[in-house]
Amino acid sequence: MSTCATVSRDLDEPISGTAATATTWLLLEQPGPWGAKALTSSHLDPVVGRALEAAAADTGVRIALIRRPGRHADPASSPVRQVYAAHTVPGNVWLHSATTEDPQELLGLDFAALGAGDPRSFGSALGGRPHTGDPLALVCTNGKRDRCCALLGRPLAAELAASGVEGAWEVTHLGGHRFSPTVLVLPYGYAYGRVQAHGIKEILHGVQEGRVVVEGCRGASAWERPGQAAELAVRTAAGEYAMDALSVVRTDGAAPRWEVTVAHTDGRHWRVIVAQGASLPPRPESCGAAVLGSPARMDVVAVRELTTALAG
């Protein structure tokens, strides 16, 4: 049986520059089944879900539901839910955790401040503190959005949990079903596609060492899609894999062509030309799609290191 993920893999569709964008991720544990739009179609009160969606709009905060890998009948689940907030912009990366018995408490958060990298309301509203455990590996498993996420994501999440990866969670939506199984790693916000359990373990080991694994990387969620592709291209060209070393400091132009400036903490700069193309031949962008599509792809045309004068 052909799926959107197998077709994408068979056509060797590039995955660089395809990550969901968010400066800050807000994650709420919600056991039980999820619908396609999980914030309003799960066992979470849909009134609270809609209010959270409205509060996060245009703030840079992306909200997702999480649950522990396993069965999801939600029988008499514990009222205590895990909550995480993670800011992913280099130079101010953090991951905080809290618990709540009332998801409505999340409406007391200052979403604009969270999106800008200020965690104080997470502490005052929820009693949140810096997370001291392992990095998080969030595996998209929402089969109601696309069957690939369930067919490929759920076994991966279960394998990670069974092998002792304490930060393994299932998550509602990371975008890019056709790159399943898709994983987001926090706190740094790098997304990965077409991954296997051994690859995720290597990625998480890299996170603990402050190192990015670029193989299979879709990009860092802190940047828009052209910036994601540009940052990964500079990492490869310069052999620079330290997590906090690079930042996208400027993006000029508009689709289908951008000039992206990537800066290193040591003062070096690169100018990267990124062009938007169409993935051909047309293919299903998700399982069950009525028509074939040609999803946009980010192609890096050139990477050039700038002199100090040009960078200025």
Side-chain angles (χ1 to χ4, degrees), residues 71-106:
R71 296 176 61 85
H72 302 133
D74 193 18
S77 59
S78 167
V80 178
R81 300 156 185 251
Q82 185 68 48
V83 188
Y84 294 104
H87 190 63
T88 63
V89 178
N92 186 29
V93 170
W94 48 259
L95 172 61
H96 288 202
S97 63
T99 58
T100 184
E101 295 186 12
D102 181 6
Q104 192 164 345
E105 289 184 330
L106 274 66

Side-chain angles (χ1 to χ4, degrees), residues 1-85:
M1 177 177 61
S2 180
T3 65
C4 66
T6 57
V7 172
S8 176
R9 183 183 288 108
D10 290 346
L11 292 175
D12 198 25
E13 181 182 350
I15 65 176
S16 174
T18 66
T21 57
T23 55
T24 301
W25 290 83
L26 179 63
L27 309 171
L28 170 65
E29 183 178 4
Q30 176 55 60
W34 298 330
K37 295 185 177 180
L39 276 178
T40 53
S41 55
S42 69
H43 289 180
L44 177 69
D45 182 346
V47 174
V48 175
R50 281 190 290 272
L52 288 171
E53 284 181 336
D58 301 319
T59 64
V61 177
R62 187 178 177 109
I63 305 174
L65 302 182
I66 58 175
R67 64 191 175 197
R68 286 296 187 186
R71 296 176 61 85
H72 302 133
D74 193 18
S77 59
S78 167
V80 178
R81 300 156 185 251
Q82 185 68 48
V83 188
Y84 294 104

Side-chain angles (χ1 to χ4, degrees), residues 139-154:
V139 184
C140 186
T141 63
N142 191 349
K144 289 293 171 53
R145 290 196 70 98
D146 192 282
R147 65 183 178 183
C148 285
C149 298
L151 292 172
L152 301 173
R154 289 194 64 188

